[in-house]
C-alpha cells in the first residue's frame, strides 16, 4: 500500500504572515478578514498572525520575500485584487505578482500562497471576496495551514 503524505488543517505552533495590497481595498479588506477567520477558526492564535499592508499587488513579492527571509513564519498568505475592467495593464499586474510570489516560495522553501483575485469585473471580484463564491482569503488560509503541516512531513 502506498504511503500518502498530506497536511492536516490543525494549527500546531505555526506562525503566519499575511501580505495584503491596499489597491482595491474594499475587496482586499474582506480577503484579509477571511484569511484571519480561516486561520483562527482552525486554531491559530491571533498573536501568531502578522498582517503587512503594501500599496498594490506588484509590491506583494518584495514584502513576502523579506518576511520569508526572517525564517519565523511557516507560511505567507498573499492577498490582492486585480480587476481587468479597471486597468489596461491587468495581465502585467496579475502575472507579475503571481510569478513573484511563486519565486519567493521556491527561493525560501516555504509556502507562499497566492490568494490574489484576478477578476474580469467588479462583480466577479465581489463574488470571490465574501459573497456567493466564498472568500478567497479564507481558502488561502486553509492552503497555508495544510502546506505548513505537509512540508514538516516531507
Ligand atoms: N494593483 C492591484 O493590486 N490591483 C490592480 O488592479 C492594480 N491596477 O489596476 O493597476 C494595481 N496596480 C498597482 C500596482 O500593483 C503597483 O502598486 C503600482 O504599479 C506601483 O508599483
Amino acid at each position: 500500500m502506498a504511503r500518502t503524505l498530506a497536511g492536516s488543517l490543525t494549527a500546531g505552533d505555526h506562525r503566519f504572515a499575511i501580505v495584503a495590497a491596499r489597491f482595491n481595498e474594499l475587496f482586499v479588506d474582506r480577503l484579509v478578514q477571511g484569511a484571519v477567520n480561516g486561520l483562527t477558526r482552525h486554531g491559530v492564535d491571533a498573536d501568531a498572525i502578522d498582517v503587512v499592508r503594501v500599496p498594490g499587488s506588484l509590491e506583494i513579492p518584495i514584502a513576502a520575500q523579506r518576511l520569508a527571509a526572517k525564517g519565523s513564519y511557516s507560511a505567507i498568505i498573499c492577498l490582492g485584487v486585480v480587476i481587468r475592467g479597471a486597468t489596461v495593464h491587468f495581465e502585467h499586474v496579475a502575472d507579475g505578482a503571481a510569478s513573484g510570489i511563486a519565486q519567493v516560495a521556491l527561493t525560501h522553501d516555504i509556502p507562499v500562497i497566492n490568494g490574489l483575485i484576478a477578476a474580469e469585473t467588479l462583480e466577479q471580484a465581489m463574488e470571490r471576496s465574501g459573497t456567493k463564491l466564498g472568500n478567497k482569503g479564507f481558502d488561502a488560509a486553509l492552503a497555508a495551514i495544510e502546506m505548513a503541516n505537509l512540508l514538516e512531513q516531507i
Side-chain angles (χ1 to χ4, degrees), residues 60-73 76 104 108:
I60 289 175
I62 183 72
Q65 179 166 264
R66 280 292 173 100
L67 291 162
K70 287 169 76 81
S72 47
Y73 299 104
I76 299 170
V104 174
H108 290 276

Side-chain angles (χ1 to χ4, degrees), residues 14-64:
H14 297 296
R15 293 189 60 79
F16 296 90
I18 297 171
V19 186
R22 276 196 307 276
F23 204 102
N24 290 322
E25 70 179 349
L26 184 71
F27 301 118
V28 180
D29 286 351
R30 306 311 302 231
L31 298 181
V32 173
Q33 283 173 23
V36 171
N37 194 22
L39 293 173
T40 55
R41 286 181 59 189
H42 287 82
V44 179
D45 200 287
D47 291 341
I49 307 168
D50 291 324
V51 179
V52 175
R53 299 303 295 243
V54 295
S57 294
L58 283 177
E59 284 72 44
I60 289 175
I62 183 72

Side-chain angles (χ1 to χ4, degrees), residues 2-8 146-147 149-154:
R3 190 163 74 109
T4 301
L5 299 177
S8 73
E146 179 174 345
M147 287 304 296
N149 287 323
L150 174 65
L151 292 192
E152 279 185 334
Q153 299 175 51
I154 297 179

Side-chain angles (χ1 to χ4, degrees), residues 63-89:
Q65 179 166 264
R66 280 292 173 100
L67 291 162
K70 287 169 76 81
S72 47
Y73 299 104
S74 301
I76 299 170
I77 298 161
C78 300
L79 303 174
V81 174
V82 191
I83 302 169
R84 187 191 294 277
T87 174
V88 285
H89 55 296

